[in-house]
Amino acid sequence: MPRRRSTGKSVKSVEEEYDKVVKEIIGSNEAPTPAIEEFDLEDIEGVGRITAEKLRRAGYYTLKDVAFASAHELAEVLGSEERALAIIRSAQRLVTGGKLFMTAREYYERRRRIAYISTGVRALDDLLEGGVETCAITEFIGEFGAGKTQLCHQLAVMVQLPPERGGLSARCLYIDTEGTFRPERVVSIARYRGIDPEKALEGIVYARAYNSDHQMLLVDEAKKIIEKENIKLVIVDSLITHFRAEYPGRENLAARQQKLNRHISQLHRLASLYELAVVVTNQVLAAPDIFFGNPLRPAGGNIVAHGCTYRIWLRKGKEGKRIARIIDSPKHAEKETVFAITDEGVVDI
């Protein structure tokens, strides 16, 4: 990896300068106060002790889990879609207080309280207008060596910083599907960011996914530990590896995309219900029928394209530079920025 050019400034002064910029970009970045779970599953109309135990065994631990489940999913646990629908509606009334709609103004005020995790790179934070957003899925796309996994390592450290330094004073759940997670890299990034490496490693909950079913199981099981472990960032690196390997060929495409769609829906639900950020990485495919322009396109097709909230394409530039470009977003313009990867992590040029 190319070394960062010396600027004559100490690490401490660089950090102090960067912290000031982070405050300007994202303000205080206070994490939203989690809603207090005032009700148990047994408080839902039609749910007794035995039914509540069935729901918990199936992965529905909180009122929100039930309120935002689909009737089809819940019917597999309860045996009746009609009963599942009645229980879901009862749970939704408890969650929303009976209010199903709000004005755009109310929603705007709610979104102003959304927290962001700094990437640790001023240029990337500017590009994303504050950093990686909670309650959403952010996808980093790129070929090998573009910096996707490097960014994941850095975000796993940054989320542990206090809000005034761009973090959420929280932990990260890191689901590794390719075996590329390296705690040694976390140590070097943490040292540069002024964090005790031992504490940084303790702040990352790691899981290795060995196939697509195991990957989906890990996301389901995550609900058991998210609140207890104060997890505010879930990383899946990479999202599509196992799905591509297990469902090759056009004859398996429909089954693969349906399963992938369920997985993305799982991640969306985690992000929304627990007010955390989800970051996924994605691979690229080469289109042989493209003769002019970029022949690479993101893997996963329209399912992933529609499922991820923010999509950032990473590519290699000259002299060791990396270029990040927003290619899909509900609020950002399509624009790009430049950064570098050094011994200290992902940094500004």
Side-chain angles (χ1 to χ4, degrees), residues 44-119:
I44 302 172
E45 186 178 342
V47 175
R49 182 178 59 82
I50 295 174
T51 302
E53 285 304 311
K54 281 184 181 180
L55 291 170
R56 291 187 181 103
R57 283 198 299 269
Y60 300 93
Y61 305 104
T62 68
L63 195 66
K64 285 183 177 180
D65 289 336
V66 176
F68 300 108
S70 73
H72 177 72
E73 289 175 342
L74 217 59
E76 294 180 2
V77 181
L78 303 176
S80 164
E81 194 157 325
E82 186 178 341
R83 186 185 178 205
L85 189 58
I87 287 174
I88 288 170
R89 286 175 175 169
S90 176
Q92 287 173 347
R93 284 194 294 271
L94 292 175
V95 168
T96 64
K99 186 177 181 179
L100 300 178
F101 304 98
M102 68 177 74
T103 65
R105 172 73 181 184
E106 289 173 313
Y107 187 55
Y108 175 67
E109 292 299 326
R110 178 181 293 184
R111 279 197 52 81
R112 289 179 65 182
R113 296 193 295 271
I114 283 179
Y116 295 84
I117 303 166
S118 170
T119 62

Side-chain angles (χ1 to χ4, degrees), residues 125-265:
D125 286 348
D126 285 339
L127 183 76
L128 297 171
E129 298 179 3
V132 173
E133 185 179 302
T134 55
C135 303
I137 299 179
T138 301
E139 175 193 12
F140 291 107
I141 309 159
E143 57 185 321
F144 63 91
K148 306 185 299 294
T149 298
Q150 297 281 348
L151 265 172
C152 289
H153 282 80
Q154 183 142 309
L155 283 166
V157 174
M158 294 301 296
V159 72
Q160 301 179 47
L161 291 171
E164 60 269 18
R165 294 187 61 192
L168 297 178
S169 298
R171 304 178 78 189
C172 167
L173 172 61
Y174 199 117
I175 299 176
D176 179 12
T177 70
E178 298 179 331
T180 52
F181 175 76
R182 293 293 180 269
E184 298 90 343
R185 189 59 171 147
V186 171
V187 169
S188 63
I189 292 170
R191 281 179 179 151
Y192 177 68
R193 298 290 164 181
I195 305 175
D196 180 354
E198 292 294 325
K199 290 183 179 178
L201 291 170
E202 285 294 329
I204 301 172
V205 180
Y206 173 80
R208 176 79 160 92
Y210 294 99
N211 54 58
S212 60
D213 289 321
H214 188 212
Q215 185 172 327
M216 295 174 74
L217 174 65
L218 289 172
V219 174
D220 270 338
E221 290 295 304
K223 291 186 287 188
K224 294 181 180 178
I225 65 169
I226 283 174
E227 292 184 333
K228 182 174 69 174
E229 300 291 343
N230 187 29
I231 289 170
K232 284 295 179 182
L233 172 65
V234 173
I235 293 173
V236 183
D237 182 26
S238 93
L239 176 71
I240 200 153
T241 297
H242 292 312
F243 294 91
R244 289 182 69 186
E246 293 167 24
Y247 296 89
R250 283 191 168 274
E251 66 275 13
N252 294 313
L253 183 60
R256 185 191 82 174
Q257 294 302 84
Q258 287 173 6
K259 191 173 184 180
L260 185 57
N261 193 29
R262 288 201 303 273
H263 184 42
I264 294 173
S265 179

